[in-house]
Amino acid sequence: MAAPRVDAFLLQLDELWDHDWESLASILRGVSHDEAGWAAPCYADAADSEPSPPQAGSIWWHLHHIAICKRVYTAQIAAQPEPDALLAAPSFEEEHARLQTIHDAQRQAIAALSDEDLDREVPGSGSLASFLATTLRHDIWHAGQIALVRRLYRAASDKTS
């Protein structure tokens, strides 16, 4: 059964996730372990809102936060109970790999929808279509923040070299 509205969300999700430019994959390309754990001084007093995350404001923190959110989004898309808390992975590389797996599960949940499902109400979010649009914006918002962290890291590294 054709689902052009669902297909449009999948196309956007794929573009925002792994397009060569302006995507989460493109901004994460080449991130080193040191870079992933670094946070700008303005985050020194930031309270962590996630269970056991890396330093708030770091690239690793952003990936962990996105992973937590995508697990919750996937449950809401599939109309399932919210999952248990997700602890940070022991390394940035493992966090990155886990995020890919969680993203793939979110994509599969969206692909299983019909266009009619997009009209279903999601508590506190309006329609499922509106909710999906928000999840897409959330991914790209964090991609932009990661891009900024990378610039700040390079600038800080240049000053200490």
Side-chain angles (χ1 to χ4, degrees):
M1 177 167 92
R5 291 171 62 203
V6 171
D7 290 345
F9 277 112
L10 289 171
L11 177 64
Q12 291 174 31
L13 183 71
D14 293 344
E15 288 281 315
L16 296 174
W17 187 257
D18 66 8
H19 191 274
D20 286 342
W21 302 100
E22 299 174 339
S23 68
L24 202 52
S26 69
I27 199 59
L28 290 171
R29 206 170 290 126
V31 172
S32 70
H33 185 78
D34 288 342
E35 185 179 11
W38 181 85
C42 62
Y43 283 97
D45 295 330
D48 292 332
S49 60
E50 315 293 355
S52 303
Q55 171 64 42
S58 69
I59 294 170
W60 187 350
W61 179 91
H62 284 284
L63 261 60
H64 182 64
H65 171 77
I66 296 166
I68 289 171
C69 292
K70 281 182 168 290
R71 286 181 72 231
V72 171
Y73 298 160
T74 301
Q76 291 175 323
I77 291 163
Q80 297 175 343
E82 189 168 316
D84 293 333
L86 182 69
L87 298 177
S91 73
F92 170 72
E93 294 76 16
E94 290 173 80
E95 192 77 62
H96 192 185
R98 179 170 62 181
L99 177 59
Q100 180 66 56
T101 300
I102 291 168
H103 172 78
D104 292 344
Q106 180 190 19
R107 191 186 191 290
Q108 290 171 358
I110 295 170
L113 298 171
S114 69
D115 277 354
E116 293 74 29
D117 290 330
L118 296 178
D119 297 324
R120 181 181 88 219
E121 289 296 311
V122 174
S125 299
S127 70
L128 183 56
S130 177
F131 175 77
L132 289 177
T134 299
T135 69
L136 296 173
R137 287 191 306 271
H138 183 258
D139 280 0
I140 206 64
W141 168 266
H142 282 284
Q145 290 181 320
I146 292 167
L148 178 59
V149 171
R150 292 196 79 182
R151 281 186 170 193
L152 293 172
Y153 174 81
R154 286 191 299 269
S157 297
D158 289 347
K159 289 180 182 176
T160 60
S161 300

